[in-house]
């Protein structure tokens, strides 16, 4: 073929592709036999015996890498040099990688209003300001990773006010570090209002916050309410301060498994006044740790716990070296831990070596341990004694709706035509990512023992939110399986296929709920089909985990029934969705505090529990 013919052919091909709805990238990845998607389709056809094609929802999660990119990144992974090409790797492979926040190092002399603001780091901001205020409103809303840092913020200021309102609302993972914040500040106040509500994984650290401050008021209102599995750390907070009052109002209300750690909090402080009011109210399994809190020679401090952990489900509180060697301090526990399901409290070295300290317990619940407790100035009023029927309350509908979203769990009898029920929020909140090809994924470190290599690969800094994400996911994947469970974390579709086949055999089908219509609304159940003839069977369920590439936690689920149900609009009766539901018939090994029992009553082994398969989750069963 001469040059003219070649040029004509190339030009014709260019025009054809330009006018077509199929992009060059799609054409290359779908038809090129060396693309990851083509390789995956071949693997599916060799492993699945029923000859059903690979479902689109699964194929769409395959790696979008072009053949040349696939070859290049596979070689880099083999040479352990992917980290030096991280930006291009993340972009080409559709991973979720992120950098640290942009730094802001100076501020205006007047008031500053940060509204609808995202991902910034404030260093030495507001230092030595006098009588001005900075307001943070609608900061990092509805984002996957809300990351910010406040370092040396408002230091040595006078009458400086900081207001955090509607901060990181509805974020997936939110992290904020307040380090050397308001050091030696005089007067003024910092207010946290509606701070990080509805966040999936909040990660907050207050280190050396308001240290050496003088009457710098801190107020935490509606703080991390309705969150899931978060952690807040207060270290060296208010240390050596003078009259630094802190109020915690509506802190962690209705949250699920939230941990708070107060370490070296208020040490050497003079006249500190901390109020914990409506703290962890109606929370599910809250964990609060007070370590070296308010002691170390502090003078005249006052801590008040009002409606603390009231109505909570289980939970653990640890008071270690609380108020140690303090002088004339006062601590009052009012309506502490009146949980409907008893929690655990441990008091060790509480007020030990203090002088003139007064501690009173009023309406205090069961399940406590007092070790090396101060022998003077302690008053117990309406304390629930062992053997008493008090201290355990029935769960009412209001509390259930706060802990457990309506419709998240339901009984099998609800899956019949004509039933009107609440559909929970089934929308996938995780960042959009793709699987890696197994040829690349298998060469990447994925074990806690090589955490430093994992962090280097994805550019995770020490104590960063990414480091925590990596650590948590690795730990969950390495956790020993529950009794009768077989589990595996998979980062490639090939690995997912292998796991499903190892449990169920080669004649399998994978399903997911069709779309998210009906989410958070009342819906009507239409026609219902029981998979495998409604017989008791086993399945493999796969749930997303948070990681830079698409990663699923898959586990075998024995003794279940799986259903496919039409989801109808309640008013028009029109079909809006096709939902996949799984009913766990044997719940005998489940925890007594499981949210399903909180919502539906009963306990382990007492009832079956059903739930929908959410967006992008999936369940594998033997083919009909």
């Amino acid at each position: 073929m001469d040059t003219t013919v070649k040029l004509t052919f190339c030009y014709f091909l260019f025009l054809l592709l330009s006018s077509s709805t199929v992009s060059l990238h799609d054409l290359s990845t779908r038809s090129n036999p060396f693309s990851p998607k083509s390789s995956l389709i071949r693997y599916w056809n060799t492993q699945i015996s029923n000859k059903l094609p690979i479902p689109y929802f699964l194929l769409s999660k395959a790696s979008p890498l072009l053949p040349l990119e696939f070859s290049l990144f596979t070689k880099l992974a083999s040479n352990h040099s992917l980290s030096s090409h991280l930006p291009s790797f993340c972009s080409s492979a559709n991973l979720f990688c992120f950098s640290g926040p942009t730094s802001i190092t100076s501020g205006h002399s007047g008031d500053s209003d940060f509204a609808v603001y995202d991902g910034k780091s404030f260093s030495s901001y507001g230092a030595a300001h006098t009588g001005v205020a900075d307001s943070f409103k609608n900061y990092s809303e509805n984002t996957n990773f809300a990351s910010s840092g406040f370092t040396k913020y408002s230091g040595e200021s006078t009458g400086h006010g900081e207001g955090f309102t509607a901060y990181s609302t509805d974020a997936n993972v939110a992290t904020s570090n307040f380090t050397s914040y308001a050091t030696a500040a005089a007067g003024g106040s910092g207010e946290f209002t509606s701070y990080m509500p509805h966040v999936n994984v909040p990660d907050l650290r207050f280190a050396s916050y308001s240290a050496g401050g003088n009457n710098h008021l801190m107020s935490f209102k509606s703080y991390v309410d309705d969150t899931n599995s978060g952690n807040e750390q207060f270290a060296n907070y208010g240390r050596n301060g003078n009259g630094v009052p802190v109020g915690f109002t509506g802190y962690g209300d209705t949250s699920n498994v939230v941990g708070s750690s107060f370490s070296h909090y208020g040490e050497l402080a003079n006249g500190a006044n901390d109020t914990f009011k409506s703290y962890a109210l109606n929370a599910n399994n809250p964990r609060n740790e007070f370590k070296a809190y308010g002691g170390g020679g502090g003078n005249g401090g006052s801590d008040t716990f009002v409606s603390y952990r009231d109505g909570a489900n289980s939970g653990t509180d640890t008071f270690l070296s609380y108020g140690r060697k303090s002088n004339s301090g006062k601590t009052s526990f009012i309506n502490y831990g009146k949980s409907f399901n008893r929690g655990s409290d441990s008091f060790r070295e509480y007020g030990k070596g203090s002088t003139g300290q007064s501690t009173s317990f009023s309406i205090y619940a069961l399940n406590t341990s007092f070790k090396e407790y101060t022998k003077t100035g302690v008053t117990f009023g309406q304390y629930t004694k062992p053997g008493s029927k008090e201290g355990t309350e029935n769960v009412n509908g209001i509390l259930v709706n706060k802990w457990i979203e309506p419709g998240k769990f339901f009984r099998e009898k609800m899956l019949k035509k004509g039933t009107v029920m609440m559909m929970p929020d089934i929308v996938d909140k995780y960042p959009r990512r793709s699987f890696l090809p197994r040829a690349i994924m298998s060469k990447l470190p994925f074990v806690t023992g090589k955490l430093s290599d994992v962090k280097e690969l994805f550019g995770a800094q020490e104590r960063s939110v990414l480091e925590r994400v990596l650590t948590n996911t690795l730990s969950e994947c390495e956790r020993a399986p529950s009794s009768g469970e077989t589990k595996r974390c998979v980062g490639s579709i090939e690995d997912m296929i292998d796991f499903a086949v190892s449990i169920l055999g080669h004649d399998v089908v994978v399903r997911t709920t069709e779309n998210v219509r009906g989410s958070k609304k009342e819906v009507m159940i239409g026609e219902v089909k029981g998979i495998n003839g409604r017989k008791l069977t086993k399945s493999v369920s796969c749930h997303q985990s948070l990681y830079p590439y698409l990663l699923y936690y898959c586990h075998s689920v024995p003794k279940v029934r799986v259903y496919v149900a039409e989801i109808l609009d309640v008013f028009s009766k029109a079909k809006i969705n096709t939902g996949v539901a799984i009913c766990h018939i044997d719940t005998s090994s489940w925890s007594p505090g499981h949210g399903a029992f909180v919502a539906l009553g009963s306990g382990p082994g007492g009832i079956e529990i059903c739930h929908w398969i959410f967006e992008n989750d999936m369940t594998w069963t033997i083919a009909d």
Side-chain angles (χ1 to χ4, degrees), residues 156-454:
E156 300 181 356
S157 62
T158 301
H160 185 241
E162 308 98 34
F164 296 87
T165 307
Y167 188 103
S168 295
T169 304
D170 294 313
N172 187 24
V173 176
T175 178
S176 287
N177 294 330
F178 293 85
T179 307
S180 301
Y181 188 107
T183 301
S189 64
E191 182 178 11
F192 296 84
T193 305
S194 191
Y195 189 96
M196 291 195 177
H198 317 302
V199 172
N200 189 27
V201 186
D203 182 25
L204 314 172
R205 298 185 180 96
F206 294 82
S208 299
Y209 190 110
S210 222
N214 183 25
N215 290 301
H216 189 77
L217 170 67
M218 302 308 304
S219 175
F220 296 86
K221 298 177 182 178
S222 187
Y223 186 98
V224 293
D225 290 350
D226 197 24
T227 59
N228 181 41
S229 188
N231 183 49
E232 293 86 49
Q233 298 178 11
F234 296 83
N236 293 321
Y237 188 109
R239 181 181 174 89
N240 202 28
N242 179 40
V244 179
V246 180
F248 294 88
T249 305
Y251 186 106
D253 287 359
T254 67
S255 293
N256 182 35
V257 197
V258 167
S260 297
S261 174
F262 297 84
S263 178
H264 299 288
Y265 185 106
E267 280 193 314
L268 301 172
N270 180 37
N273 182 0
D274 299 334
T275 302
F276 296 85
K277 186 177 181 181
S278 189
Y279 189 103
L281 180 71
N282 300 331
N284 183 33
N285 196 21
R287 303 187 306 270
N288 304 309
E289 180 182 11
F290 295 83
K291 185 177 181 181
Y293 183 105
N299 182 39
S302 174
D303 296 324
T304 303
F305 295 83
V306 182
S307 294
Y308 185 101
R309 211 160 55 78
D310 193 26
N313 178 29
S314 299
T316 303
D317 289 333
T318 302
F319 294 84
L320 177 64
S321 296
Y322 188 103
R324 194 171 191 266
K325 295 183 179 180
S326 60
N327 181 32
S328 298
K330 178 182 179 182
T331 305
S332 176
F333 293 89
I334 302 174
N335 201 22
Y336 183 104
K338 268 194 92 178
S339 307
F340 87 89
N341 195 5
R342 297 171 187 172
S344 174
D345 305 316
S346 176
F347 291 83
R348 180 179 295 179
E349 290 189 13
Y350 191 104
K352 185 179 180 182
S354 61
T355 303
Q357 176 162 299
S358 171
T359 305
S360 64
F361 293 86
S362 178
I363 317 180
Y364 196 80
L366 283 170
N367 237 8
T368 57
S369 171
F370 297 89
K371 298 179 181 179
E372 299 186 71
Y373 197 89
T374 180
K375 301 296 190 270
T376 59
V378 181
T379 304
F380 293 90
Q382 298 185 45
Y383 184 88
T384 305
K385 299 178 181 179
S388 171
K389 293 183 180 180
E390 297 181 13
T392 302
E393 301 176 359
N394 293 326
V395 189
N396 60 48
I398 296 176
L399 296 190
V400 169
N401 289 339
K402 287 185 176 180
W403 282 327
I404 309 299
E405 185 183 8
K408 185 172 183 179
F409 302 105
F410 53 91
R411 300 293 302 275
E412 191 173 15
K413 63 185 179 182
M414 301 290 287
L415 288 171
K416 63 181 180 180
K417 189 174 182 180
T419 299
V420 175
M421 62 188 297
M422 193 71 183
M423 176 73 78
D425 184 2
I426 64 172
V427 176
D428 175 17
K429 301 297 196 305
Y430 283 110
R432 302 300 182 188
R433 299 150 295 158
S434 295
F435 279 111
L436 284 177
R438 181 153 63 179
I440 295 177
M441 189 274 301
S442 62
K443 295 177 174 62
L444 304 183
F446 190 82
V447 63
T448 301
K450 294 185 177 181
L451 181 60
S452 59
D453 295 336
V454 178

Side-chain angles (χ1 to χ4, degrees), residues 397-541:
I398 296 176
L399 296 190
V400 169
N401 289 339
K402 287 185 176 180
W403 282 327
I404 309 299
E405 185 183 8
K408 185 172 183 179
F409 302 105
F410 53 91
R411 300 293 302 275
E412 191 173 15
K413 63 185 179 182
M414 301 290 287
L415 288 171
K416 63 181 180 180
K417 189 174 182 180
T419 299
V420 175
M421 62 188 297
M422 193 71 183
M423 176 73 78
D425 184 2
I426 64 172
V427 176
D428 175 17
K429 301 297 196 305
Y430 283 110
R432 302 300 182 188
R433 299 150 295 158
S434 295
F435 279 111
L436 284 177
R438 181 153 63 179
I440 295 177
M441 189 274 301
S442 62
K443 295 177 174 62
L444 304 183
F446 190 82
V447 63
T448 301
K450 294 185 177 181
L451 181 60
S452 59
D453 295 336
V454 178
K455 289 167 57 179
E456 180 184 0
L457 171 64
F458 295 111
Q461 302 297 318
E462 290 292 326
R463 296 177 61 83
S464 66
V465 65
L466 179 55
E467 180 191 47
R468 183 171 176 232
V469 166
L470 298 174
T471 302
N472 287 353
T473 299
L474 290 174
S475 298
E476 177 62 17
C477 289
E478 294 171 1
R479 174 186 59 79
S482 304
S483 177
E485 180 190 39
T486 305
K487 59 184 279 288
R488 183 180 178 185
C489 286
V490 297
S492 73
I493 298 181
E494 293 93 335
D495 282 357
M496 182 182 285
I497 294 172
D498 286 352
F499 181 75
V501 165
S502 71
I503 302 295
L504 304 171
H506 291 273
D507 188 14
V508 292
V509 175
V510 59
R511 297 178 176 88
T512 189
T513 296
E514 187 175 285
N515 56 63
V516 298
R517 287 193 286 273
S519 182
K520 297 197 292 185
K521 298 178 181 178
E522 277 197 336
V523 297
M524 179 178 286
I525 303 299
E527 297 293 337
V528 179
K529 176 187 177 183
I531 302 304
N532 299 143
R534 296 181 182 245
K535 294 179 181 179
L536 201 63
T537 184
K538 60 182 177 180
S539 71
V540 169
S541 289

